[in-house]
Amino acid sequence: MTSNLSGTQPRQARRSNTSAVLQLLAQRGPLARADIAKELSLNHASVGRILDPLLADGIVRECARESSGIGRPRTPVELDPDGRFAIGIHLGVERTTIGLTDLTGRCVETYAEDRDPADHATTVRRAGELAAGLAARARGRVLGIGVVVGGDVDRTTGTVVRNEALGWYDVGVAEPLRRRTGLDVLVDSNARAHLNAELTFGAGQGLRSVLYLFVGNVAEIGFVNHPAPLNADNIVHGSLRRIAVPKLTRDGDARFDECGTDLILLAAARSAGLATPTLADLVRLADEHDPTAVDLLTAHSAQVAVLADTVYDLMRPNLVILGGSGAPTDRWLEVVRGQVETVPPQSLTRPRATTNPLVTASGSLVVRQFFAGQLRTW
């Protein structure tokens, strides 16, 4: 029995240390070998053994030498922006957003197109066509595809079990995309994927207990407490669609999915005579001091505050990240902070800004798995 396990522990240790190095470089940027060794409590020889194959494989690269005037110049290393890529796909209610990210979460290319939300077969087929085109144009190796969609998702089979906003029930997503592109496909819910991105690249780095509250046409949470490094299975996901929140008209309460979604918010804006086809249009009008837009977004912020207070009472996270329309700008983050009752205002924040958070969140599913050595490419 012992002979069958020979070498297993050293291999596991190397993989774990390699994952830690990649994650550290994603969080901190260029670092000298001595700094990596200090941060991860490794000796210099171990760091060298980890970095050498990563350098040879084009996953990391050396930067220009740095000299402090004391001792030998240091040569930092960083993730190679052309080393590996991930495709991210977000399937929204009316729009598909797709793009390419590098290992630091930076969007290299993005594309969005409107579609019929009820036609899931065409939606998935078209997503496969777009993904295949992105993979063909990528200037480096594509690791896989991450797909994000609201509602209940079976991550094991890559199936959308239920998304009432889309009208999708038991829709397979991973297998058609895999057949079309030949790439690994990971499918997850909005809140889990966005929290995954914040743990990997953003505001959640290094924290023990983080909750991501996604507000849009769904209201969902992703929550992790004492996260094991790079273990996505530790992220708890839940829906808040049945939570009672104040109506936009302030004449009582109703379930979030009956009075708080983005579609309902925009419909209320149009009924009030505003030309607001998108949330960004409504925010722009509010920033221009349109009283109706300000009133609607203030009422929406009160809904978000109730959702945040509810989950904070249950889970007591160190940080609550408000995504989607939860806090579309810093101004509206402050409005939510002014209306919460139990969440400490300093514990509320917005996601770290990216060029396209939908693509970054989707692509991060693949990047995080790659860092953990859980893709077949390792």
Side-chain angles (χ1 to χ4, degrees):
M1 192 65 141
T2 304
S3 61
N4 289 337
L5 296 176
S6 175
T8 299
Q9 291 182 343
R11 284 197 301 272
Q12 290 175 341
R14 282 196 299 273
R15 174 163 288 188
S16 176
N17 289 336
T18 298
S19 297
V21 168
L22 291 172
Q23 180 74 10
L24 182 64
L25 293 175
Q27 293 174 356
R28 299 275 298 277
L31 288 172
R33 289 166 173 78
D35 295 328
I36 295 172
K38 181 178 179 181
E39 288 285 340
L40 300 179
S41 300
L42 298 171
N43 60 51
H44 287 217
S46 295
V47 171
R49 285 193 293 270
I50 292 167
L51 289 177
D52 285 346
L54 296 177
L55 287 163
D57 209 19
I59 299 170
V60 301
R61 67 180 183 182
E62 292 185 333
C63 307
R65 288 193 173 192
E66 298 177 349
S67 177
S68 63
I70 302 174
R72 298 173 59 187
R74 306 191 310 171
T75 305
V77 296
E78 64 178 359
L79 293 171
D80 190 332
D82 293 332
R84 297 291 188 276
F85 295 93
I87 293 173
I89 301 174
H90 178 265
L91 301 175
V93 171
E94 297 177 332
R95 176 172 293 189
T96 294
T97 305
I98 184 169
L100 199 66
T101 72
D102 63 22
L103 294 182
T104 68
R106 180 179 61 90
C107 296
V108 177
E109 181 179 348
T110 60
Y111 174 76
E113 65 179 26
D114 295 336
R115 56 178 174 73
D116 177 1
D119 190 350
H120 59 78
T122 300
T123 294
V124 175
R125 182 174 66 251
R126 177 60 175 157
E129 293 171 357
L130 294 171
L134 272 179
R137 295 192 302 273
R139 59 178 182 265
R141 184 175 179 181
V142 175
L143 298 169
I145 301 171
V147 182
V148 171
V149 62
D152 297 330
V153 174
D154 185 332
R155 298 167 54 239
T156 303
T157 62
T159 300
V160 179
V161 178
R162 181 185 65 192
N163 184 309
E164 294 180 352
L166 285 170
W168 289 15
Y169 299 91
D170 295 321
V171 175
V173 173
E175 187 55 34
L177 291 177
R178 192 178 295 117
R179 288 198 306 266
R180 179 65 179 84
T181 64
L183 296 169
D184 283 324
V185 181
L186 304 174
V187 184
D188 214 332
S189 65
N190 271 315
R192 283 179 56 97
H194 282 276
L195 176 55
N196 183 79
E198 291 299 312
L199 293 171
T200 308
F201 309 118
Q205 294 177 5
L207 296 180
R208 293 162 58 87
S209 178
V210 184
L211 186 143
Y212 193 101
L213 171 55
F214 181 89
V215 180
N217 288 312
V218 294
E220 300 175 342
I221 62 163
F223 174 68
V224 64
N225 193 34
H226 308 297
L230 304 171
N231 187 352
D233 291 332
N234 283 356
I235 298 178
V236 175
H237 168 256
S239 171
L240 302 180
R241 61 193 175 94
R242 293 188 175 90
I243 299 296
V245 298
K247 295 179 181 178
L248 294 172
T249 53
R250 298 180 176 87
D251 59 344
D253 296 346
R255 286 173 28 157
F256 171 85
D257 58 3
E258 296 172 342
C259 71
T261 68
D262 285 0
L263 288 177
I264 292 169
L265 176 64
L266 292 174
R270 289 192 292 272
S271 294
L274 299 181
T276 53
T278 69
L279 179 66
D281 295 318
L282 184 60
V283 172
R284 175 182 52 78
L285 286 177
D287 288 342
E288 294 170 356
H289 309 292
D290 180 285
T292 302
V294 170
D295 188 59
L296 282 171
L297 283 175
T298 301
H300 184 61
S301 296
Q303 297 175 329
V304 174
V306 169
L307 296 176
D309 281 333
T310 300
V311 293
Y312 186 83
D313 278 339
L314 290 171
M315 299 173 175
R316 298 285 168 171
N318 300 133
L319 186 69
V320 178
I321 304 171
L322 299 178
S325 65
T329 66
D330 289 342
R331 172 187 176 181
W332 295 104
L333 173 63
E334 291 305 319
V335 175
V336 176
R337 283 175 170 170
Q339 300 191 68
V340 292
E341 296 180 357
T342 63
V343 185
Q346 68 274 13
S347 296
L348 284 172
T349 189
R350 298 178 63 234
R352 175 174 289 182
T354 63
T355 49
N356 192 311
L358 298 178
V359 172
T360 297
S362 307
S364 75
L365 299 174
V366 174
V367 173
R368 197 168 175 86
Q369 290 284 80
F370 176 68
F371 286 170
Q374 294 172 2
L375 291 179
R376 63 185 180 184
T377 51
W378 273 34

